[in-house]
C-alpha cells in the first residue's frame, strides 16, 4: 500500500491534470492536489496505526502521518507539479487549527472531576516545570534556538505531537523544527512504554496511583493507553483521565504563551503597542468552547464519535503536510542537541514526576 516512486508520480500527475481541467473552480485547481496528497497519506497512516505491531508500539496516526509525509517529501514530492504546494500549505495551517478545535471533543469537565484536585495539581505542576526546564536547558545549556526548545517542551509537557502542532502557529516554527520536536516525542515516548511497565512492581504504587503517574508523565495519548492497559483496567482508566486533563491544559498554555511573547517586548514598547502584539489564538478559545459543549452532553454520542474520527483525519492530514515540507537535510543540521533535550525532559518526567506524584499523594 505504500506509495512508490514509479506508481505514485504518474498517478498524481494525472490527478493534477484532471483538477486543472476544471476552469470554473479556480480554488479547486489550486488546493485539491496538495490536499488530496496529504489526505491520502493521512488515511494510510490511520490504517497503519490499526496494524497490531505498530499499535502495540503506541505509534499513533499522527506520528505515522508525519513519518509518511517525510518519506514522500524527500522522494516523490519535489518531482510533483508546483500546484501541489498550495494545498499542502493549506493543510498544515487551516486544517491544523480546525483539528485542534475538534480535539476538544475528546475531553470534558467531568474528566477533571474524575481525578480530583490532586490530579489537576499534578498535571499543572508537570506542565509548568517541564516547559520551563525545556526552554532554560534548551536555550542556555544546549544552544538550541527558542522555537525548537518551545516546541520540544510543549510536546513533552502536554500531549505529544498534537501539542507541538498547536504551538507551532504561535512561535512560527519551521517545518523541520516541528519534525524534530515530534521525533523526540516518538523516541522517548516509546522508551517510556518499554520501561514503565517493567518499573511498576518496584515503584510501590497502587494501580490508580500508577495510572496518575503514567498519565502525567508520558508523552502521547496512545502511549499512555498502552502503558495503562499493560498494568490493568484501574491503571488504564486513571492514566487516560489524567492524560486528558493534561490535554485540557493545552488551551490555557497557548494563551499564556501568547501573552508572554507580547510581554517580552514591554521594555521597548508602549503599553498600547504591547497589547496590540498579543496574539490570541482563536483556535485555543474554540477548543475550550468545544470542550464545554461536550461537557454539557449537547451533542449526540454518535455524532461525537464521527467528529472525533474526522478530527484524527484532519490532524493526521496536517501532520502529513508538515512532513511533506520537511527536508532531511534540515534535520541533519539540527544535530544531537534536540535529542539531548528530549532525554533531559524524559528523565525529569520519569524521576521528577514520580517524586511529585508521591508528594501530592502524601498530602491527600
Amino acid at each position: 500500500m505504500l506509495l512508490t516512486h514509479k506508481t505514485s508520480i504518474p498517478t498524481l500527475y494525472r490527478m493534477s491534470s484532471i483538477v486543472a481541467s476544471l476552469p470554473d473552480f479556480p480554488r479547486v485547481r489550486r488546493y485539491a492536489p496538495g490536499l488530496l496528497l496529504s489526505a491520502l497519506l493521512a488515511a494510510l497512516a490511520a490504517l497503519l496505526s490499526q496494524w497490531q505491531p505498530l499499535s502495540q508500539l503506541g505509534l499513533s496516526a499522527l506520528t505515522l502521518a508525519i513519518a509518511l509525509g517525510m518519506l514522500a517529501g524527500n522522494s516523490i514530492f519535489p518531482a510533483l507539479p508546483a500546484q501541489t504546494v498550495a494545498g499542502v500549505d493549506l493543510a498544515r495551517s487551516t486544517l491544523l487549527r480546525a483539528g485542534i478545535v475538534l480535539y476538544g471533543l475528546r475531553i470534558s469537565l467531568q474528566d477533571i472531576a474524575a481525578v480530583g484536585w490532586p490530579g489537576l495539581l499534578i498535571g499543572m505542576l508537570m506542565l509548568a516545570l517541564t516547559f520551563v526546564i525545556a526552554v532554560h536547558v534548551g536555550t542556555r545549556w544546549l544552544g538550541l534556538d527558542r522555537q525548537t526548545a518551545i516546541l520540544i517542551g510543549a510536546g513533552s509537557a502536554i500531549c505529544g505531537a498534537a501539542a507541538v502542532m498547536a504551538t507551532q502557529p504561535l512561535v512560527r516554527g519551521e517545518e523541520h523544527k516541528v519534525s524534530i520536536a515530534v521525533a523526540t516525542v516518538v523516541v522517548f515516548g516509546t522508551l517510556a512504554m518499554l520501561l514503565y511497565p517493567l518499573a511498576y512492581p518496584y515503584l510501590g504504587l497502587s494501580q490508580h496511583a500508577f495510572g496518575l503517574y503514567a498519565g502525567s508523565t508520558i508523552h502521547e495519548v496512545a502511549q499512555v493507553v498502552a502503558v495503562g492497559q499493560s498494568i490493568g483496567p484501574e491503571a488504564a482508566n486513571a492514566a487516560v483521565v489524567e492524560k486528558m486533563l493534561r490535554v485540557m491544559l493545552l488551551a490555557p498554555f497557548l494563551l499564556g504563551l501568547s501573552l508572554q511573547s507580547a510581554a517580552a517586548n514591554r521594555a521597548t514598547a508602549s503599553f498600547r503597542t504591547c497589547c496590540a502584539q498579543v496574539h490570541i489564538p482563536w483556535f485555543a478559545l474554540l477548543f475550550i468552547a468545544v470542550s464545554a459543549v461536550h461537557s454539557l452532553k449537547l451533542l449526540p454520542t454518535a455524532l461525537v464519535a464521527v467528529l472525533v474520527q474526522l478530527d484524527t483525519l484532519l490532524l493526521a492530514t496536517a501532520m502529513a503536510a508538515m512532513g511533506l515540507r520537511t527536508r532531511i537535510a534540515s534535520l541533519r543540521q539540527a544535530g544531537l542537541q534536540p535529542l539531548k533535550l528530549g532525554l533531559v525532559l524524559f528523565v525529569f518526567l520519569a524521576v521528577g514526576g514520580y517524586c511529585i506524584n508521591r508528594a501530592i499523594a502524601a498530602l491527600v
Side-chain angles (χ1 to χ4, degrees):
M1 264 183 99
L2 287 172
L3 294 172
T4 64
H5 183 77
K6 292 183 178 179
T7 61
S8 299
I9 292 180
T11 300
L12 290 166
Y13 264 113
R14 289 195 295 272
M15 181 174 62
S16 300
S17 300
I18 293 173
V19 173
S21 66
L22 300 174
D24 294 332
F25 301 100
R27 288 185 179 273
V28 173
R29 292 202 311 272
R30 182 181 181 187
Y31 295 116
L35 285 173
L36 286 174
L37 174 59
S38 301
L40 284 172
L41 293 173
L44 178 57
L47 289 174
L48 289 176
S49 69
Q50 302 301 316
W51 187 35
Q52 189 173 1
L54 294 179
S55 64
Q56 287 179 341
L57 292 175
L59 295 177
S60 66
L62 303 187
T63 301
L64 292 171
I66 198 168
L68 292 175
M70 290 176 63
L71 179 64
N74 289 273
S75 56
I76 66 171
F77 185 63
L80 295 178
Q83 70 185 107
T84 58
V85 173
V88 170
D89 288 343
L90 181 69
R92 67 187 180 92
S93 57
T94 303
L95 293 191
L96 167 61
R97 289 164 173 79
I100 296 300
V101 170
L102 289 179
Y103 205 83
L105 291 171
R106 301 169 189 261
I107 57 179
S108 66
L109 299 178
Q110 288 83 357
D111 292 335
I112 295 180
V115 297
W117 71 264
L120 177 59
L121 182 57
I122 290 171
M124 294 173 65
L125 283 174
M126 292 308 301
L127 189 160
L129 293 175
T130 303
F131 185 73
V132 169
I133 291 172
V135 175
H136 183 83
V137 173
T139 58
R140 298 191 181 185
W141 290 6
L142 298 178
L144 292 172
D145 62 273
R146 187 173 178 81
Q147 288 179 334
T148 301
I150 288 176
L151 291 172
I152 293 175
S156 299
I158 309 174
C159 53
V164 173
M165 291 190 299
T167 306
Q168 184 267 342
L170 295 184
V171 300
R172 296 180 175 87
E174 300 169 49
E175 284 73 20
H176 72 276
K177 294 178 182 178
V178 173
S179 300
I180 289 169
V182 172
T184 65
V185 170
V186 174
V187 170
F188 295 105
T190 302
L191 184 60
M193 287 177 52
L194 298 175
L195 296 182
Y196 275 50
L198 295 176
Y200 170 65
Y202 308 100
L203 296 178
L205 300 175
S206 65
Q207 278 204 27
H208 178 79
F210 178 81
L212 291 179
Y213 168 57
S216 63
T217 57
I218 298 178
H219 302 66
E220 284 272 11
V221 175
Q223 296 161 350
V224 169
V225 172
V227 170
Q229 289 180 344
S230 69
I231 302 302
E234 187 178 354
N237 291 341
V240 171
V241 170
E242 178 67 16
K243 184 62 179 179
M244 288 298 99
L245 189 150
R246 283 172 72 194
V247 173
M248 180 170 278
L249 293 174
L250 175 62
F253 166 80
L254 294 176
L255 291 171
L257 185 62
S258 179
L259 292 170
Q260 187 276 333
S261 178
N265 297 320
R266 284 181 181 172
T268 57
S270 66
F271 178 77
R272 178 177 296 180
T273 302
C274 177
C275 291
Q277 292 173 340
V278 176
H279 174 70
I280 303 298
W282 59 265
F283 58 91
L285 298 178
L286 289 178
F287 171 87
I288 297 174
V290 170
S291 298
V293 170
H294 181 49
S295 301
L296 296 175
K297 309 291 185 183
L298 298 178
L299 299 177
T301 303
L303 176 60
V304 171
V306 170
L307 290 175
V308 167
Q309 294 297 320
L310 173 62
D311 177 55
T312 298
L313 180 59
L314 288 174
L315 290 175
T317 301
M319 289 295 278
M322 287 184 178
L324 286 169
R325 298 289 271 163
T326 300
R327 296 294 174 264
I328 296 298
S330 300
L331 297 179
R332 291 198 191 102
Q333 291 176 359
L336 294 176
Q337 300 303 84
L339 287 177
K340 291 180 181 178
L341 177 57
L343 176 60
V344 169
L345 297 179
F346 171 74
V347 172
F348 169 73
L349 286 166
V351 179
Y354 175 77
C355 295
I356 289 174
N357 272 266
R358 291 303 297 261
I360 292 179
L363 295 176
V364 177

